[in-house]
């Protein structure tokens, strides 16, 4: 292990290295560095010298040193000597110390005996050190006799072997390079032979350092059902793309396994793309912290859903960009954290993936040794029924079948697909298998409380913002289901483990029963009744209840005009951003006491300034129906979606201050009793705005890019947490079919005819392979029948649907008796199912619906229309109900909800193309109408060759469509550089050829991929700063290496992919480079601005200081002028054309950064749209003048 070897060598050098002028050898601050003091006779204090290994992962074979001093006023001869030491490639720590000290000694001796400058010597120090034997030939790390006899400027120690060791070393290095090239090609060809598209970026071969490998596959080839693709937001035409980055050059898999330091040079990203690979700048951006989706924000959204919510209007314009994946963040974390460790377990112990994953989870943090016994359970074969139905391309295991030299790209791709296609089988946080007694269409977390907390807090789940904007009525439906269940005490699974701080239930009425007057952790007898099958979890024994302060209500005075609360001095301390619940005892609104929630804005005790109130005066009092009082006809005043626009409070009366009581949001939700938890859920949902108001807020210009948690004065963190839990824990796919009046003028072709007064949603449940199992059941049981399936209704009370959409249909619980046997009950007439759906607890006899007060839909009933295998003889019962025990025979298709009668939606128009039904079991809807099922209700693979039109007379050919038959999946061309890597058998010939597409024979007829033409810029017209007049040997050598390396990269990559150009002929000063940035993504406003001004590039001036590479270069734009920040511009371009980047500051700069990465990150910064995209100054094209550059 490289780092371990370096540390050991450093410790040995500290203990054994001796030199009369060297003292205090010790590790440096940075990893891979060390410092020592060298006593110089001409300086009063020792010189502090530092040595840095540029890549510890290369130690001890091919690493390089960077040697410099941090002391000031040292003799010029010693400074020159340090610069001329060179990189000492492959030297151990002790050998490096010996060489450096002897070089310094020689410099001192030369100044005393023969005062000449070392630069006058006929042989460069780097050339002389090249004559040494290989570093590994030294036997004594602390310096042997032969090493002691060597002098850096003495010609006496020459090469007496008769061979040119520099040429020998070059031949040896070239052989190693060709061997590495062969391995790269072998690994990529193996991946291509397995069925994947393969690409490369950054050169990859010939010892390229920072490079990328891409593997991709069409989503349509992964065996994912249509329902799952819809739930996972996948398009069959897209590519699933795995991006592998090698920051220290390509490494074979066996070199990475068991080598934790070297494995840091490999990282993974996953995403979706319209092309089989992405451009270089997108690859860099995928690993960059500049991208907002990679930053953990306000604890809500991962990059995928933020992308959907905020960037939905730009996707079509950028077909080559890497688009986020719905489980991209958890999958990337899994691969970067565990993949190589799992491969190590498999290689060492012979596990399959299942065994390696279980072993990793079971032994995290344990001191397991190779001598311990391994449980045979880890060797059990895969037992997943899901895996058996998947395509071979997804289930193949290259690591298990490859005898030697496995391909890392292929192993990584197969592992990624395993966790993508079977994502519902694994926890999204700990990645353990989810042992649930129900199937789910969407992935979630396991039962561990910590996993649920991390899932919510760290943004692994769906975005509430995206769901609200894209499907507001579905969100309304989900909240209504939850509210209905909690309002009658039937909410079985609760949002525990989320660290929710809620108000104490002292002043708040409870919807589940009498008003709670609970003392800490204890409710009145009989007030903690739980639904059947629900067990209240016991509180942790570690909680010392008697030592905790009980919740209490506080009294204060409220100035409602200025929203100022005056506390009793010394009684309680409030802090900003806390939420409180306020009750004004003496003021009523109709039959309601005035109650509201609000945020603490400022605390200047005893005066507290409050935010706008979230007024509950217009909401129904839960106590009214229970006390026999008439239920008021409430009307919710819709607030304007701004933080200060909740309904105004009534007048305060004659007195400015009112006596009020309030409680603080300071109770841990998990510590409440079961009943109080139900009440708390309802209380928090009561405070939410309507879904339409939340959507309006998110789409307003002032709120663009914000999340709901940032609506500080309107939504409390606890309410936002419950809302997020409701949306994230939904395991079904629910898609709106009907449109409300004013939303759409055209009825959906997916609408079922025969239910005119019920709003419709497409409804899919079960595991991702549930549809495949259903189809297989049709083949096994009814393949010879004319009508293999039938449709029937299933009804359930409204408070049950919160559980149904999470757990699916099952018959584990008995709610209404089972007179006709055990199974899922169905009816062919909707009236029967509506009767069951209307059953509600007697406690809500005056308010039987349990509406969420802010709901626009006011859902009162819900029934599902399911497709069932048409085999009544095999049902538990077929009369009077269809009772089906085989869950694989049932597939949910539609959800119908009864909503507010005043809301108008799509008319009941029969679909154009219909699905033929069994006349014996055709379901009937409202008013005994026959239900007409659209052809789109069934999967495309099951649609018949002809489909009847609505009048039954005209036949329309639809074809036996598969998943991808309705879209053109034209294979995009493989890039030339990828073909050359994959097809070339002569590595020596390949390395000498240019891979620029424009120079490849036969490519001239193709349209160029960039409008940039190199070499046409008139450099004499540029307003340049005065060329630097300084020069230092260290900086000059470093810049020579950088320029040669950068130009080599430029000649080896296509211009459109590289995005920058350097004209070598115009660089007359090594410390001043002119660079053009070009080929910006066409969806960027900057690209459009350049095209409008007939420009094809942005011209940069890069200046290097005398301390380079220890200090960063100065980068500024010369042409054209950009729009300033004050005028609405962006792209990190500041006054004078300078760039605002941490990389280009002393604190953000790293001495090991190369100019290729600098240019890519500069280009990325200019292309960034956060917070605003870069734009050009309007009008005539102008340059930044020299004066502006000096000021910048």
């Amino acid at each position: 292990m490289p780092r371990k070897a370096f540390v050991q060598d450093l410790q040995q050098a500290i203990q054994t290295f001796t030199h009369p002028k060297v003292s205090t050898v010790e590790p440096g601050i940075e990893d891979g560095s060390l410092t020592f003091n060298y006593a110089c006779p001409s300086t009063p204090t020792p010189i502090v010298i530092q040595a840095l290994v540029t890549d510890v992962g290369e130690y001890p074979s091919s690493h390089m040193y960077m040697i410099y001093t941090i002391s000031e006023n040292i003799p010029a001869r010693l400074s020159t000597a340090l610069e001329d030491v060179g990189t000492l490639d492959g030297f151990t720590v002790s050998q490096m110390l010996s060489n450096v000290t002897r070089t310094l000694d020689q410099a001192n001796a030369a100044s005393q005996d023969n005062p000449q400058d070392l630069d006058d010597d006929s042989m460069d120090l780097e050339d002389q050190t090249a004559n040494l034997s290989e570093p590994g030939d030294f036997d004594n790390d602390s310096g042997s006799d032969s090493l002691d006899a060597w002098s850096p400027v003495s010609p006496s120690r020459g090469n007496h072997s008769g061979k040119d060791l520099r040429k020998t070393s070059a031949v040896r290095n070239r052989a190693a390079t060709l061997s590495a090239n062969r391995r790269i090609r072998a690994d990529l060809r193996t991946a291509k032979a397995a069925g994947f598209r393969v690409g490369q970026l950054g050169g990859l071969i010939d010892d390229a350092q920072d490079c990328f490998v891409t593997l991709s596959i069409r989503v349509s080839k992964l065996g994912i059902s249509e329902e799952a693709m819809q739930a996972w937001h996948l398009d069959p035409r897209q590519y699933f793309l795995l991006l592998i980055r090698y920051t220290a050059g390509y490494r074979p898999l066996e070199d990475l396994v068991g080598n934790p330091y070297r494995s840091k040079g490999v990282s993974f990203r996953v995403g979706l793309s319209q092309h089989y690979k992405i451009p270089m700048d997108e690859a860099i951006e995928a690993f960059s912290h500049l991208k907002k989706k990679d930053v953990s924000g306000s604890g809500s959204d991962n990059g995928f859903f933020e992308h959907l919510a905020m960037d939905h209007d730009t996707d079509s314009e950028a077909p080559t960009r890497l688009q986020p994946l719905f489980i991209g963040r958890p999958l990337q974390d899994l691969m970067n954290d565990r993949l190589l460790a799992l491969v190590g377990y498999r290689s060492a112990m012979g596990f399959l993936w299942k065994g390696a994953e279980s072993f990793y989870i079971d032994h995290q943090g344990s001191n397991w040794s190779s001598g311990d016994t391994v449980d045979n359970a880890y060797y059990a074969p895969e037992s997943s029924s899901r895996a058996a139905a998947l395509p071979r391309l997804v289930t193949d295991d290259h690591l298990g079948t490859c005898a030697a030299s496995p391909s890392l790209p292929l192993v990584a791709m197969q592992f990624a697909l395993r966790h993508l296609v079977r994502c519902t089988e694994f926890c999204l946080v700990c990645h353990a298998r989810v042992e649930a007694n129900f199937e789910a269409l969407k992935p979630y977390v396991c039962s561990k409380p910590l996993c649920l907390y991390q899932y919510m807090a760290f943004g692994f789940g769906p975005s509430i913002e995206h769901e609200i904007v894209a499907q507001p009525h579905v969100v309304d439906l989900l909240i209504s289901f939850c509210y209905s269940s909690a309002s009658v005490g039937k909410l079985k699974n609760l949002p525990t483990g989320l660290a929710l701080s809620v108000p104490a239930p002292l002043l708040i009425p409870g919807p589940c029963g009498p008003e709670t007057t609970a003392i800490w952790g204890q409710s009145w007898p009989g007030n903690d009744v739980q639904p059947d099958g629900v067990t209240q979890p016991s509180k942790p024994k570690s909680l010392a209840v008697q030592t905790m302060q009980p919740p209490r209500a506080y009294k204060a005075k409220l100035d409602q005009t200025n929203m100022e609360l005056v506390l009793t001095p010394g009684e309680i301390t409030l802090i900003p951003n806390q939420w409180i619940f306020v009750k004004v005892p003496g003021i009523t609104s109709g039959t309601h006491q005035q109650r509201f929630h609000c945020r603490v804005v400022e605390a200047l005790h005893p005066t507290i300034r409050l935010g706008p109130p979230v007024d509950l005066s217009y909401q129904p009092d839960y106590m009214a129906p229970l006390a026999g009082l008439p239920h008021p006809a409430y009307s919710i005043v819709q607030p304007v979606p701004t933080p200060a626009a909740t309904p105004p409070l009534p007048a305060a009366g004659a007195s400015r201050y009112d006596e009020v009581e309030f409680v603080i949001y300071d109770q841990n939700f998990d510590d409440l009793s079961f009943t109080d938890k139900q009440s708390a859920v309802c209380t928090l949902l009561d405070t939410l705005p309507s879904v339409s108001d939340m959507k309006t807020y998110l789409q307003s210009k002032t709120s663009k890019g914000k999340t709901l948690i940032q609506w500080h004065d309107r939504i409390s963190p606890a309410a936002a947490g419950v809302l997020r839990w409701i949306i994230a824990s939904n395991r079904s796919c629910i898609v709106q079919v009907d449109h409300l009046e004013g939303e759409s003028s055209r009825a959906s072709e997916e609408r079922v005819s025969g239910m005119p007064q019920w709003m419709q949603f497409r409804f899919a449940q079960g595991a991702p392979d549930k549809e495949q199992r259903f189809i297989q059941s049709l083949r096994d049981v009814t393949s010879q029948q004319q009508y293999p399936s039938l449709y029937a209704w299933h009804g359930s009370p409204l408070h049950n649907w919160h559980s149904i959409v999470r757990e699916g249909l099952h018959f584990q619980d008995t709610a209404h008796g089972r007179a006709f046997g055990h199974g899922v009950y169905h009816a062919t007439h909707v009236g029967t199912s509506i009767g069951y759906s209307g059953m509600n607890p007697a406690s809500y006899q005056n308010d039987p619906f349990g509406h969420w007060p802010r709901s626009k839909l006011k859902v009162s009933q819900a029934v599902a229309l399911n497709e069932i295998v048409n085999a009544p003889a095999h049902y538990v019962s077929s009369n009077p109900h269809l009772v089906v025990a085989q869950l694989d025979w049932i597939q949910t298709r539609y959800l119908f909800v009864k909503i507010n009668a005043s809301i108008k939606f799509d008319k009941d128009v029969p679909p154009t193309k219909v699905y033929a039904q069994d006349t014996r079991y055709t379901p009937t809807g409202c008013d005994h109408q026959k239900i007409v099922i659209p052809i789109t209700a069934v999967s495309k693979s099951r649609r018949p060759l002809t489909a009847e039109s609505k009048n039954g007379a005209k036949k329309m050919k639809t074809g036996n469509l598969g998943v991808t038959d309705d879209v053109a999946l034209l294979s995009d061309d493989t890039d030339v550089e990828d073909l050359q890597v994959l097809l070339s058998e002569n590595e020596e010939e390949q390395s000498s050829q240019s891979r620029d597409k424009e120079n490849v024979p036969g490519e001239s007829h193709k349209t160029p991929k960039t409008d940039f033409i190199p070499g046409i810029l008139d450099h004499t017209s540029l307003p340049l700063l005065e060329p630097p007049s300084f020069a230092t040997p260290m900086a000059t050598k470093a810049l020579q290496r950088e320029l040669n390396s950068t130009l080599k990269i430029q000649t080896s990559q296509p211009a459109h992919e590289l995005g920058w150009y350097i004209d070598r002929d115009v660089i007359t000063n090594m410390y001043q480079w002119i660079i053009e940035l070009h080929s910006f993504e066409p969806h960027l406003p900057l690209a459009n601005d350049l095209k409008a001004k007939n420009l094809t590039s942005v011209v940069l001036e890069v200046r290097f200081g005398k301390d380079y590479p220890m200090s960063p270069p100065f980068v500024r734009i010369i042409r054209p002028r950009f729009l300033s920040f004050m005028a609405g511009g962006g792209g990190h371009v500041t006054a004078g054309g300078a760039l605002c980047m941490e990389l280009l500051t002393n604190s953000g700069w790293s001495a090991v950064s190369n100019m290729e990465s600098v240019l890519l990150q500069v280009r990325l910064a200019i292309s960034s749209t956060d917070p605003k995209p870069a734009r050009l100054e309007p009008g005539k094209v102008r340059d930044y003048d020299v004066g502006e550059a000096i000021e910048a």
Side-chain angles (χ1 to χ4, degrees), residues 7 352 416 532 547 552 555 705 836 877 969 1009 1054 1116:
V7 172
L352 298 175
D532 296 337
T547 64
R552 56 171 295 191
K555 293 186 177 181
Y836 282 93
S877 175
L969 296 182
K1009 294 189 176 183
R1116 76 175 185 104

Side-chain angles (χ1 to χ4, degrees), residues 922-1127:
T922 301
T924 57
C926 298
D927 302 326
H928 300 279
Q929 298 182 54
K930 292 291 184 181
I931 292 296
V932 181
I933 309 293
I935 191 66
T936 55
V938 298
S939 59
K940 295 176 182 178
S941 61
R942 292 179 51 220
R943 295 175 190 175
L945 295 177
T946 59
E948 295 181 358
S949 65
K950 59 181 179 181
N951 57 17
K954 184 179 179 180
K955 302 289 184 179
M956 301 182 65
K957 294 188 66 177
T958 60
N960 189 11
L961 298 177
V963 149
T964 63
D965 292 335
D966 62 336
V967 292
L969 296 182
L970 299 177
S971 179
D972 44 354
D973 293 336
T974 301
D975 288 350
V976 175
E977 61 267 19
D978 298 332
L979 288 174
Q980 289 182 325
V981 170
L982 291 169
L983 301 180
S984 176
E985 293 293 344
N986 189 332
E987 282 79 6
E988 191 66 50
E989 178 184 353
Q990 164 67 15
S991 65
S992 63
Q993 292 179 344
S994 169
R995 285 171 288 164
D996 192 339
K997 290 184 181 179
E998 287 78 3
N999 296 330
V1000 176
E1003 293 292 315
S1004 58
H1005 66 281
K1006 292 191 175 182
T1007 303
K1009 294 189 176 183
T1010 178
D1011 57 358
F1012 175 75
I1013 302 176
I1016 64 173
L1017 177 66
D1018 182 7
H1019 291 75
T1020 61
S1021 65
L1022 299 176
L1024 301 177
L1025 295 169
E1026 284 294 326
S1029 57
F1030 53 79
T1032 61
M1034 178 183 71
T1036 301
K1037 285 191 174 183
L1039 288 172
Q1040 286 175 338
R1041 287 193 298 266
E1042 280 298 325
L1043 181 58
N1044 291 332
S1045 175
T1046 306
L1047 291 174
K1048 181 179 179 181
I1049 293 171
Q1050 179 174 284
T1051 59
S1052 65
Q1053 293 192 33
H1056 74 276
E1057 196 172 279
L1058 195 61
W1060 49 263
Y1061 174 75
I1062 301 174
D1063 191 342
R1064 178 65 179 88
D1065 295 336
V1066 301
I1067 298 182
T1068 58
N1069 189 311
M1070 192 62 64
Y1071 291 78
Q1072 184 182 44
W1073 297 6
I1074 304 302
I1075 301 172
E1076 293 180 82
L1077 302 183
H1078 59 83
S1079 304
F1080 291 95
E1081 290 296 323
H1083 69 277
L1084 293 175
L1086 174 60
N1088 296 326
D1089 290 352
L1090 287 170
K1091 187 174 183 180
K1093 294 180 180 294
N1094 293 321
L1095 299 175
T1096 60
S1097 67
V1098 174
V1099 185
L1100 305 179
E1101 178 182 9
V1102 181
R1103 296 171 63 89
F1104 302 90
K1106 61 182 179 181
D1107 296 326
Y1108 183 84
M1110 306 312 300
S1111 61
F1114 171 71
V1115 182
R1116 76 175 185 104
I1117 295 174
I1118 304 176
R1119 177 186 299 164
R1121 296 180 71 93
F1122 279 64
L1123 201 62
S1124 66
F1125 280 123
M1126 297 297 293

